[in-house]
Amino acid sequence: MRILSCFTLLLFLSANADNNAVWRASGENVTLRCSVAGCPNSNSNNEYEGMYLYLNQYHEEQKEVQYYHSSRGTPDNITPRERYKDRIQTNGSLKDHTITISRLTVHDSGFYRCVFIHFPHGRVTCSEHTLFIKGVAPCPPAEVPPARTCKNHLPLVLIICAAGTVCTIATIIFILLIVPRVRRWVCSRRRARRVERVPNNEYVYEVMTARGLRPALEQSSSSTYTVQE
């Protein structure tokens, strides 16, 4: 893999005679110069709005290392990309500046191009550098799962507490309002059944008359009448 990488970089170097080849060891720093003096048909009167520093590698697509923006009346805006933050430093003006990359690794090897934004002609490549890094590729850092904290479980705890509170309130309302009504309804049903079981006097009289029986009161009155006679 490393042999293929070096071979590809040598092809880049041989394809462009103006390319600057730089050799560094892993952990060292490198300084690259980007200047409009190397631009085709360069003219000091040309206006440049910004510059992109790109990195080309044999096994990956072109990467953006840094963007340098400059406009009249406003301070220069230099924006390194995430991989190069805290590792890159720029000195000088837009038309002629140096870029220093520190703590190099073999992953920084490749073909660097300074592409200036030239108004109104668009983009133009002005400086090119081929960087060789000697060393062993560092192992990618292991992904450590985020530690579980109480904050992660706080919403779940709140939901459980709220559900318990609602259930308790509903139980209290049921006991205070529903249970007494149920008890009154049951008592009223029991009374109604007892009233239905007690026979009516008129009904008893009719039944006894139909069977040839006379109530005790009539029998006593008739017997009294017989004695008096």
Side-chain angles (χ1 to χ4, degrees), residues 16-38:
N16 194 333
D18 297 332
N19 190 287
N20 299 317
V22 183
W23 295 82
R24 291 289 186 274
S26 180
E28 294 182 347
N29 303 339
V30 67
T31 299
L32 309 177
R33 182 183 179 185
C34 294
S35 175
V36 297

Side-chain angles (χ1 to χ4, degrees), residues 34 47-53 64-81 90 92-97 99 115-119 123:
C34 294
E47 294 184 3
Y48 296 91
E49 297 179 352
M51 188 222 70
Y52 287 96
L53 178 62
E64 183 180 325
V65 178
Q66 177 176 274
Y67 175 64
Y68 191 144
H69 178 75
S70 179
S71 60
R72 295 179 181 179
T74 60
D76 294 344
N77 183 17
I78 301 174
T79 308
R81 297 314 174 211
T90 304
S93 62
L94 173 64
K95 292 185 178 182
D96 188 6
H97 62 276
I99 300 174
V115 179
F116 284 83
I117 301 176
H118 179 206
F119 182 82
R123 300 186 178 188

Side-chain angles (χ1 to χ4, degrees), residues 202-220:
E202 296 180 357
Y203 175 77
V204 173
Y205 180 80
E206 292 179 358
V207 171
M208 294 179 67
T209 303
R211 293 182 180 180
L213 301 177
R214 301 177 63 184
L217 180 60
E218 292 185 359
Q219 290 179 359
S220 60

Side-chain angles (χ1 to χ4, degrees), residues 77-110:
N77 183 17
I78 301 174
T79 308
R81 297 314 174 211
E82 187 67 27
R83 176 182 168 185
Y84 296 91
K85 284 184 178 180
D86 302 327
R87 290 204 304 133
I88 197 168
Q89 184 177 0
T90 304
N91 295 311
S93 62
L94 173 64
K95 292 185 178 182
D96 188 6
H97 62 276
T98 59
I99 300 174
T100 301
I101 304 174
S102 60
R103 303 190 299 275
L104 294 171
T105 67
V106 294
H107 298 298
D108 295 321
S109 300

Side-chain angles (χ1 to χ4, degrees), residues 136-164:
V136 180
C139 297
E143 295 183 359
V144 179
R148 296 182 178 180
T149 60
C150 295
K151 293 182 179 179
N152 297 334
H153 299 282
L154 184 59
L156 180 59
V157 173
L158 293 177
I159 292 173
I160 294 174
C161 293

Side-chain angles (χ1 to χ4, degrees), residues 9 12 55-57 106-112 129-132:
L9 292 176
F12 278 123
L55 170 61
N56 291 85
Q57 295 175 318
V106 294
H107 298 298
D108 295 321
S109 300
F111 182 64
Y112 290 82
H129 305 272
T130 303
L131 179 60
F132 296 92

